[in-house]
Amino acid sequence: MALRRGVWIIIVLMVIASVISMTAVVGTYLLLSAEPSVPQGTTLMLRIGELPDGDGAEAVRGLFGAPGVLTLPEVLDSLKRAKSDPRVTGVLIVPSGVPQDYWARIQEVRDAILDFRSSRKPAYAYIEYGGEREYYLATACERIFLMPTSPLDLTGLASYEVFLRGTLDKVGAYPDIHHIGDYKTAANQLTETTFTPAHREMTESLNHDLFGQLVADIAKGRGKSEADVRALVDQGPFLAEAARKTGLVDELAYEDQIDDFVGTGKRKMSLLDGFGYARGRGPRVSLRTSPRVGVISVAGTIASGRGGFDPLYGGIAGSDLIVEQIRRARSDSSLRAIIVRIDSPGGSTIASDVIWRELAITRRQQPDRPIVVSMSNLAASGGYYIAMPAHEIVALPGTLTGSIGIYGGKFTTAGTYQKLGMNIESVSSGRHAEMNSPVRPFTESERGKLLEQLGAFYTQFVQKVADARGMSTEKVDSVAQGRVWTGKQAKEIGLVDELGGFETAVKVAKRRAKIAESAEVELVTFPAYRGLFDLLSQQIGQSAHERLLALAPDFIRVIAPLAMPFHLFRRGEALALAPFSVAR
C-alpha cells in the first residue's frame, strides 16, 4: 500500500514538474515575442550567426543553450522592415559564427543588406573575428570596423575531399558501388583513394567560380578592382593594422568604440538588439486582404516517410509529409502562387520521384497558378529533381545545384568479419535472393540488374529535365553526368532561370500570378503550425546534434555523410545524392 502511494506521489510530482516546465516555455515564448520599444533614431543591431532556415522552433532554442539565434527569414524580414521603418535610421551588422560550409545563405543576407542601403540609410559592420565569410558579409556595408586584436583571415577558398578506400581495404570492407555519370562522385569517397580526373575537374570548377564571385563582390563593396582584390588575397592573412592600411577595413575599434566614429557629437547610437525586433509582434501592415502565396519547405536529405531531425545527420525531408503539404497547398484556392524552398543534397530516388509527381500534378491541375522554386545553399541531385515541375527556378550565385545522376550498390564486409574471427553463412532460394548480401560482391548477373536500374533512372531523369527546361536530351546529358554546378554556372547552361534569393522568388511569383509588384503578399507556410511538443522534441535533437559537432566537428562532418546511405535509406535503394566535401 505504501509502495503504491509512493508511486502516485512520484507521478503527481512529475505532472506538476511538466506543467511548470511547459508554463516556463510558454512564458519564454511570449517574452521573446513581445514588441520591443523602438525609439526614433534607432540603429538596429543584427548579430548574424548560424542562419537556420527557421520554422518557429527557434522560439524555444534559448531553453537549450542557444539564445538569440536569428533565423535566415528573420534576418531578411528585419532588414526589409527596417528599410521602410521611420524609427530605424541605420543597421549595425555583427557577423559571428557564420556557417563555414556553403555560401548561398550568406549571399542572400548580403543582398538584403545592399537592398537596405538603397533606402539611403547607413549600414555598418563590426567584425570580432575576421574570418573569410564574416568579412564577405561585411563588405555589403559602407563602413567596416575590425577588432584591433583580430586578424583578417582573407586567404582564398579551399575544399577538401576525404577518400576512405584505403581505410576500407585495411578493415576488409569492399564498396561494390556503381554510378551513372562521370561526375557523379558521391561514391568516389568510398570507392577511390584519390581524385578521378572528372572529380578533380568539377571540384576545381566549383572552387574557381565561387572564388570569382567572392572577389567580384568584395571588389565592388570596397571600391577596388578585381585584380587588386586577387593580389590582396594572395597577401593574406592580415594583421588588423595591415588590413586597415590596405583599405580592406575602415577602422580598428572595439564594439563600444564604434560610436566614436559614427556618432554625431555627443549623441551616441541608440542600438536595438535585432532579436527583439525580429521576434516582435507589434504593429505591421495588415495582410488580411493581401494576395496569398504558399511556401513549402524541403530542407534536408530526401527520404521516404515523414522525416524529422536525425541527431547525427541533421534534417530529413520526408516525402510523406512533403506530399501532404503539397496537397494542402493545392487544395487551398486562396493561394495565387506556390513557392517551393529547397535546401537539399537529394537522397532517395523513390522519395524524390514521389515529391516530383505531386508537384507535377499540382502544375497540371492548376496551370495558371505558378510554382516557383527558390534554391538555398544547395538543391542538387534529388534536390534538383523535385525542382523540375516549377514554372521558374531561382538560385543564388553560390547555390550548389545540378548533380543530375545516380549511384547505388552496397558494402561487402566478409573480410572485416574474418578479421574479427566471425563467419557468416546463408541459405537462400531464388537466383538473386542474395543480391544485397553484405558478405560478398555482386555476381555478374546481379551487377547487370543494378546497372540496368541505375541506367533506367538516369535516362528518365535526363528526359524529365529536357522536357522541363525545353532542351534536347543530348544537351541535358552534356551538362548532367552527375556534375555539380554553382547557381551562376547553372543559369549560364540553362538549368535555372534567374539568380537571387527568396525575395527574388517572391517577385517572380507575383509577376507570374499578375500581382502588382508594389503589393504586399501574405506568405502562407506549410505546415502552418507545429505543436509545442514537436518544437521541444526537435530542439532536444538539435541540441544533441550541436553537442556532437562540438566534440569532433571535422570528423563528424566527414564521416556522417559518408555513412548516410547505409543508415537512412532502404537496403539496395538507388540514390540521387550530391557529393560531399569539407569546405574551408
Side-chain angles (χ1 to χ4, degrees):
M1 190 72 176
L3 179 61
R4 184 179 300 174
R5 186 180 297 114
V7 171
W8 276 108
I9 290 173
I10 292 173
I11 293 174
V12 170
L13 290 174
M14 289 176 64
V15 171
I16 293 173
S18 298
V19 171
I20 292 173
S21 298
M22 287 299 177
T23 302
V25 170
V26 173
T28 301
Y29 177 80
L30 293 175
L31 179 64
L32 293 176
S33 301
E35 173 70 9
S37 174
V38 185
Q40 293 291 333
T42 288
T43 297
L44 183 64
M45 182 169 65
L46 294 174
R47 297 187 182 275
I48 312 297
E50 300 171 25
L51 293 175
D53 256 334
D55 56 6
E58 285 72 17
V60 294
R61 281 180 68 91
L63 299 177
F64 297 96
V69 176
L70 286 171
T71 68
L72 176 62
E74 286 172 338
V75 171
L76 301 180
D77 181 64
S78 294
L79 287 166
K80 183 179 179 180
R81 288 167 52 204
K83 179 182 177 181
S84 57
D85 189 337
R87 302 168 298 177
V88 177
T89 57
V91 295
L92 175 63
I93 304 296
V94 185
S96 179
V98 177
Q100 297 297 302
D101 43 11
Y102 303 107
W103 287 91
R105 289 188 192 178
I106 303 172
Q107 290 178 329
E108 196 159 7
V109 175
R110 198 176 183 282
D111 288 345
I113 296 171
L114 293 173
D115 180 66
F116 170 85
R117 288 182 59 187
S118 68
S119 66
R120 298 188 180 278
K121 296 179 182 180
Y124 310 112
Y126 171 69
I127 306 176
E128 189 173 277
Y129 169 71
E132 204 122 38
R133 286 160 172 79
E134 286 81 3
Y135 179 69
Y136 176 71
L137 187 59
T139 57
C141 302
E142 59 191 72
R143 298 189 72 181
I144 301 176
F145 299 89
L146 178 66
M147 198 169 83
T149 54
S150 172
L152 181 61
D153 196 9
L154 185 64
T155 58
L157 300 184
S159 60
Y160 302 90
E161 304 277 356
V162 178
F163 297 94
L164 297 180
R165 179 59 186 274
T167 303
L168 297 176
D169 288 345
K170 286 181 180 297
V171 300
Y174 174 67
D176 200 352
I177 301 174
H178 305 270
H179 60 89
I180 302 294
D182 291 341
Y183 298 93
K184 194 63 180 177
T185 60
N188 283 16
Q189 295 160 306
L190 301 171
T191 61
E192 306 292 337
T193 59
T194 186
F195 282 112
T196 63
H199 193 169
R200 179 174 291 279
E201 177 194 344
M202 179 178 69
T203 304
E204 288 178 347
S205 174
L206 292 171
N207 186 283
H208 292 164
D209 192 72
L210 287 170
F211 182 62
Q213 295 177 32
L214 176 75
V215 167
D217 288 342
I218 291 175
K220 188 174 181 180
R222 300 306 296 168
K224 298 179 180 292
S225 70
E226 292 187 25
D228 286 342
V229 171
R230 288 179 184 272
L232 286 169
V233 169
D234 286 342
Q235 297 172 31
F238 298 89
L239 295 177
E241 180 59 28
R244 187 189 67 80
K245 287 182 178 179
T246 59
L248 290 171
V249 303
D250 296 291
E251 303 291 348
L252 306 182
Y254 292 97
E255 189 174 319
D256 61 280
Q257 296 176 317
I258 296 177
D259 265 324
D260 298 338
F261 298 96
V262 301
T264 56
K266 295 183 178 180
R267 182 181 176 185
K268 300 294 185 180
M269 283 192 301
S270 176
L271 289 174
L272 174 67
D273 189 279
F275 186 68
Y277 188 81
R279 300 285 165 86
R281 297 184 299 170
R284 300 192 186 188
V285 177
S286 175
L287 297 175
R288 291 185 179 180
T289 59
S290 300
R292 289 158 57 89
V293 174
V295 180
I296 299 170
S297 175
V298 181
T301 304
I302 299 172
S304 299
R306 296 192 66 81
F309 191 90
D310 188 287
L312 185 59
Y313 304 106
I316 308 299
S319 59
D320 289 356
L321 182 60
I322 293 168
V323 165
E324 180 181 300
Q325 304 313 320
I326 294 171
R327 289 173 179 171
R328 287 184 57 204
R330 186 167 68 229
S331 64
D332 189 340
S333 59
S334 71
L335 300 181
R336 299 277 297 276
I338 296 173
I339 296 174
V340 183
R341 174 74 166 184
I342 303 175
D343 190 7
S344 172
S348 161
T349 55
I350 294 172
S352 299
D353 201 30
V354 167
I355 296 170
W356 169 87
R357 176 66 178 175
E358 206 62 40
L359 286 170
I361 291 172
T362 303
R363 175 169 176 168
R364 186 177 68 247
Q365 290 185 357
Q366 299 158 338
D368 295 331
R369 182 160 68 175
I371 298 175
V372 178
V373 160
S374 170
M375 294 180 169
S376 183
N377 274 331
L378 69 167
S381 205
Y384 186 82
Y385 190 96
I386 66 173
M388 292 187 293
H391 291 87
E392 284 197 42
I393 298 176
V394 179
L396 287 141
T399 296
L400 298 184
T401 188
S403 193
I404 300 166
I406 183 174
Y407 75 95
K410 63 179 180 178
F411 267 120
T412 62
T413 51
T416 306
Y417 297 141
Q418 289 174 4
K419 289 177 182 291
L420 297 173
M422 298 169 62
N423 180 42
I424 294 181
E425 296 184 0
S426 64
V427 174
S428 61
S429 300
R431 184 181 181 188
H432 296 142
E434 294 187 40
M435 182 168 175
N436 292 312
S437 165
V439 297
R440 65 164 177 80
F442 293 115
T443 65
E444 184 177 346
S445 175
E446 291 167 345
R447 188 170 295 109
K449 288 290 184 181
L450 173 65
L451 292 175
E452 181 182 28
Q453 177 190 359
L454 298 180
F457 185 86
Y458 179 76
T459 297
Q460 61 93 14
F461 196 165
V462 168
Q463 185 62 60
K464 286 179 178 177
V465 175
D467 294 341
R469 305 303 301 170
M471 301 163 65
S472 68
T473 55
E474 292 77 16
K475 172 62 176 175
V476 173
D477 186 56
S478 70
V479 299
Q481 296 290 320
R483 182 159 186 162
V484 179
W485 306 91
T486 66
K488 177 175 174 288
Q489 292 171 327
K491 184 177 185 302
E492 293 169 355
I493 61 178
L495 293 181
V496 305
D497 299 290
E498 193 162 339
L499 295 180
F502 184 78
E503 283 300 315
T504 301
V506 172
K507 292 177 182 177
V508 170
K510 288 164 66 174
R511 171 171 49 80
R512 279 190 161 268
K514 297 181 172 54
I515 299 171
E517 184 178 351
S518 59
E520 289 286 338
V521 296
E522 179 184 357
L523 298 177
V524 183
T525 59
F526 292 86
Y529 173 77
R530 297 184 63 208
L532 190 58
F533 179 79
D534 289 338
L535 297 182
L536 283 170
S537 298
Q538 180 166 2
Q539 287 307 301
I540 291 171
Q542 286 182 328
S543 182
H545 183 230
E546 289 159 359
R547 287 196 296 270
L548 190 61
L549 282 177
L551 290 175
D554 287 329
F555 177 78
I556 296 300
R557 287 190 175 95
V558 169
I559 297 301
L562 297 181
M564 184 184 296
F566 310 97
H567 174 77
L568 294 180
F569 309 117
R570 300 181 183 94
R571 185 178 62 176
E573 185 172 7
L575 302 178
L577 190 64
F580 174 81
S581 63
V582 182
R584 286 290 182 267

